[in-house]
Every structure is written in structure tokens, then in C-alpha cells.
Amino acid sequence: MTLSPNPFMQEAITMSLRGMRSSLGGPFGAVIVKNGQIIAKGCNQVIATNDPTAHAEVVAIREASKVLNSFQLTGCELYTSCEPCPMCLGAIYWARPDRVYYANTKADAAEIGFDDQFIYDELELPHEQRQLPMTQIMRDEALVAFQEWADRVDRVEY
């Protein structure tokens, strides 16, 4: 589906090309907009930083959070050159922008080697059936921190 040209999406696409052409990472870009102005930009920087979490959306969210001095992006819109992967989608939900716009689909990404379907599939499986072994240990000891958090009267909810 193609709508009329959008300058914010065009900038996200430009960021995807800039990052890829600079060998920073894959062909993904994102911008965050508040009150009609771009407040943050990001491109995939996985290769340049050796950071598997340095996806365009996460980079842009981190920058926008600094600009706004807030861990919530209420009142913001996120434009991304591709439908977010599971990690980015989780980060986007935690950041709480008002809306997300995307250009390429996850199927388009899969066609060029960025296929995240296995992660979606793994999330549906019980822990013991996942490819990555997961074993719960020391729950009682870890619950101490949770209880202290629950008892704090000065905690910041998020």
C-alpha cells in the first residue's frame, strides 16, 4: 500500500540508505516525530557497534528519550523504513509512542535475509521446547528485589 509522499517516512528511508551505504548495518532507518518536528533519527548500527540491539528503531528511541528527558514517547510518532522486528516492537511498546508508520514489510525483509519468523515461532513455544535452552534458578532469592520494589513508596511507575 502506497500513500502520498510523507517527508518523515522519506527521512526514515534516507536513514536506511545512509546507514547501509556507510556500512554501519543493515538497510533500516527510523525517525521519531513530536509536534510535527523530527526529534530523533536512527539507522541500523549493528555492524559498526557490534551491538545486536542497535537496530534503527532502538537507536532512534534512545535518542528521542535523551532529547525529551523521558523514558516514554507519549505524543510522538515513529516512522520506520521496515515493519519492526520482535525486539524493536517490544521496545516500541515500552516507549509508548502514539503511532507507528512503516514502509517495507517483514516479508520484504525476509526476502533479503532478515527473517525473524523463527523468533515469533519460538515465543509461542513452552520454554522447554525452545531452541535456546532456558532454565529457571534462584527464584526465591530474586523475588527479594521484586518485593522491595513493590514495597517502595517512591518508585517511578513505567
Side-chain angles (χ1 to χ4, degrees):
M1 173 181 196
T2 301
L3 298 175
S4 60
N6 179 290
F8 303 129
M9 183 59 76
Q10 185 57 60
E11 186 60 23
I13 294 166
T14 297
M15 292 299 295
S16 73
L17 291 165
R18 184 176 300 146
M20 178 195 57
R21 290 172 179 165
S22 298
S23 299
L24 299 176
F28 304 96
V31 299
I32 297 177
V33 174
K34 184 164 185 152
N35 298 325
Q37 298 292 318
I38 295 175
I39 62 165
K41 300 178 185 183
C43 65
N44 183 294
Q45 297 179 25
V46 170
I47 295 169
T49 62
N50 290 316
D51 178 354
T53 69
H55 289 198
E57 297 91 337
V58 172
V59 171
I61 288 168
R62 289 173 180 162
E63 181 62 29
S65 295
K66 288 177 190 173
V67 168
L68 297 175
N69 195 31
S70 174
F71 51 80
Q72 293 190 352
L73 302 181
T74 307
C76 295
E77 297 174 331
L78 188 148
Y79 291 79
T80 179
S81 65
C82 187
E83 185 175 1
C85 75
M87 177 187 69
C88 291
L89 188 58
I92 291 165
Y93 271 99
W94 280 115
R96 295 178 176 88
D98 292 355
R99 187 172 188 93
V100 175
Y101 297 92
Y102 65 93
N104 293 320
T105 66
K106 63 183 180 178
D108 296 329
E111 286 181 23
I112 62 164
F114 295 94
D115 190 353
D116 299 320
Q117 189 58 47
F118 77 97
I119 298 173
Y120 291 108
D121 295 343
E122 284 281 301
L123 291 173
E124 297 297 319
L125 295 173
H127 292 136
E128 62 275 2
Q129 292 180 18
R130 293 181 182 171
Q131 292 180 30
L132 179 63
M134 297 182 71
T135 305
Q136 183 180 27
I137 61 173
M138 296 185 67
R139 179 174 181 260
D140 291 340
E141 293 83 353
L143 282 172
V144 171
F146 278 19
Q147 188 58 53
E148 284 189 28
W149 174 261
D151 293 343
R152 285 186 74 143
V153 294
D154 65 338
R155 71 178 181 252
V156 176
E157 298 287 343
Y158 60 96

